[in-house]
Amino acid sequence: MTNCTELGNIKFRDLLSSVIPAVDNDKFISRNIYHYCEGYYLVLGGAVSDGGCFIRSYLRASSDSAAMRAINQDCNDCYPEVIGDLDGVFPGVISPTYAGLIDYFKGNLNEHVLESASYRVDDGTFIYKKIETKNYIFFFSEPDMVGTDLPYAVLFKIGR
């Protein structure tokens, strides 16, 4: 199994083949999501000249279906499991809930926080509610404003 701690070394637009020496086609859960290691996914961009693809960001998600919902807006799993171990990823967060994350980024880090929700235009299906900061996007499955809602996925933006 690949070591998940290597994720911090990935750069925006690194080729998948330079990060994964032996790319396993069975680990593609969609054309733009590669299952990297337990609970982590690489979000891929377009193909380059040699047919490989580049890495845009990486995702911590509770399951393959949670990753598909966050990245591709695929709502087959209406209520994906939440991520239970965010304390290890964000050690300064007192509560990894919707309200706790907003308090942490606005209050403790004095960062701008954007809250939004997405719905499909054709049928009005709720897709996700999200909190976006400079370096992260947190995805939530509860359509109502519930402060205790826990995220099912976190996108880590890779600096350019």
Side-chain angles (χ1 to χ4, degrees):
M1 172 156 295
T2 307
N3 184 352
C4 287
T5 60
E6 299 168 359
L7 286 168
N9 298 328
I10 296 174
K11 306 275 186 287
F12 181 74
R13 295 191 65 90
D14 273 352
L15 293 179
L16 179 62
S17 59
S18 70
V19 174
I20 309 289
V23 175
D24 181 354
N25 286 332
D26 290 339
K27 291 191 171 243
F28 283 94
I29 63 169
S30 74
R31 66 175 176 73
N32 63 331
I33 304 173
Y34 186 84
H35 190 172
Y36 183 68
C37 61
E38 187 65 35
Y40 285 90
Y41 302 82
L42 298 175
V43 181
L44 308 172
V48 293
S49 59
D50 68 353
C53 40
F54 64 88
I55 298 170
R56 297 180 59 170
S57 56
Y58 62 93
L59 183 78
R60 169 77 173 101
S62 59
S63 64
D64 288 358
S65 60
M68 290 288 291
R69 183 177 183 145
I71 301 303
N72 295 338
Q73 300 182 349
D74 181 337
C75 293
N76 287 332
D77 186 357
C78 292
Y79 298 101
E81 287 184 45
V82 297
I83 301 172
D85 61 351
L86 275 182
D87 298 337
V89 179
F90 300 97
V93 174
I94 294 169
S95 171
T97 62
Y98 191 89
L101 289 165
I102 290 173
D103 288 345
Y104 174 72
F105 285 101
K106 279 185 171 180
N108 295 10
L109 300 181
N110 201 26
E111 272 194 43
H112 176 73
V113 175
L114 176 65
E115 300 174 71
S116 63
S118 293
Y119 297 83
R120 274 198 290 231
V121 174
D122 60 346
D123 62 2
T125 299
F126 171 78
I127 299 172
Y128 50 63
K129 179 174 60 190
K130 67 182 183 177
I131 297 171
E132 185 168 359
T133 69
K134 178 181 171 186
N135 296 313
Y136 311 100
I137 301 174
F138 298 87
F139 297 90
F140 302 85
S141 61
E142 182 64 46
D144 298 322
M145 294 304 297
V146 178
T148 58
D149 198 9
L150 293 166
Y152 66 85
V154 179
L155 180 83
F156 294 77
K157 299 177 184 180
I158 298 176
R160 296 180 183 217

